[in-house]
Amino acid sequence: MNHYLKRFIPALAVLGLTACAGMHGQHAHHGPLDTAPPGGEYAQVSELVPLPAFIPGLGTLYVQPATLPAGPFLAYDRDDRLVSTIYMIPLDDLNARKNFPELATAERKVVRTELAYNAGHPGVAEPHYHIVLWHVPPAEAKLK
C-alpha cells in the first residue's frame, strides 16, 4: 500500500468519526435535501455523465457540478430518500497530499462510514476512493 495512502486512510476514518461525533446528541436535520430531487444547484449525475440514473448499491446520485470530482454526491434510494453522502477522491490527489479543507456535507446524522476503492467510471475516470457517509443503516436503504 502506498505510504501516503496509509497515512490518508486513518485521516478519513477520523473525518467519518468527527462527522458522527458532530451530530451526536443532535436531532436529525430535515430539509429540502431529504428527498430527491434536492433542487438548487444539484444536478442528477446521469444527466452530466453516461451513468445509469440508478446505480445499484449507491442509488440515484446528485452533485453540484462545480464540486466535481470530489463532491459531495447526494445518494437517494428507490423511495427518493437521502441515504448517504459520497465523496470521490482521486488517488493522484492523495499521492500529491492535496488537502480538502472545506468539503460540504449534507448536515445529516452519519451512522456509518465506508471507504471503497474504485478503478474509475464515467465522471471520475481515474482510480479513486468512494468515501460514503451513511445517513441510514445500509441494510435499510432500498438500493437494489
Side-chain angles (χ1 to χ4, degrees):
M1 180 181 285
N2 180 306
H3 170 72
Y4 300 114
L5 194 54
K6 285 180 181 177
R7 293 178 56 191
F8 186 72
I9 289 176
L12 292 176
V14 169
L15 169 71
L17 293 174
T18 301
C20 291
M23 295 304 296
H24 181 73
Q26 297 181 10
H27 297 287
H29 183 277
H30 297 284
L33 302 180
D34 291 334
T35 57
E41 297 178 15
Y42 284 93
Q44 190 168 344
V45 170
S46 63
E47 295 175 358
L48 301 173
V49 297
L51 283 173
F54 187 90
I55 302 170
L58 292 179
T60 302
L61 301 180
Y62 290 85
V63 68
Q64 293 178 343
T67 67
L68 290 172
F73 296 79
L74 302 180
Y76 294 87
D77 70 2
R78 295 269 186 208
D79 289 338
D80 292 331
R81 177 177 58 146
L82 178 65
V83 295
S84 69
T85 299
I86 303 167
Y87 303 95
M88 299 185 190
I89 307 297
L91 287 182
D92 285 348
D93 288 343
L94 298 178
N95 289 332
R97 299 181 181 186
K98 182 177 178 181
N99 294 316
F100 296 88
E102 296 186 25
L103 291 174
T105 68
E107 298 183 11
R108 300 298 185 273
K109 178 181 176 184
V110 175
V111 299
R112 181 174 171 170
T113 303
E114 293 179 356
L115 288 107
Y117 173 78
N118 189 289
H121 51 72
V124 185
E126 62 269 21
H128 60 278
Y129 269 88
H130 288 179
I131 303 163
V132 183
L133 306 179
W134 288 96
H135 305 301
V136 300
E140 294 178 11
K142 296 180 181 177
L143 296 174
K144 293 183 181 178

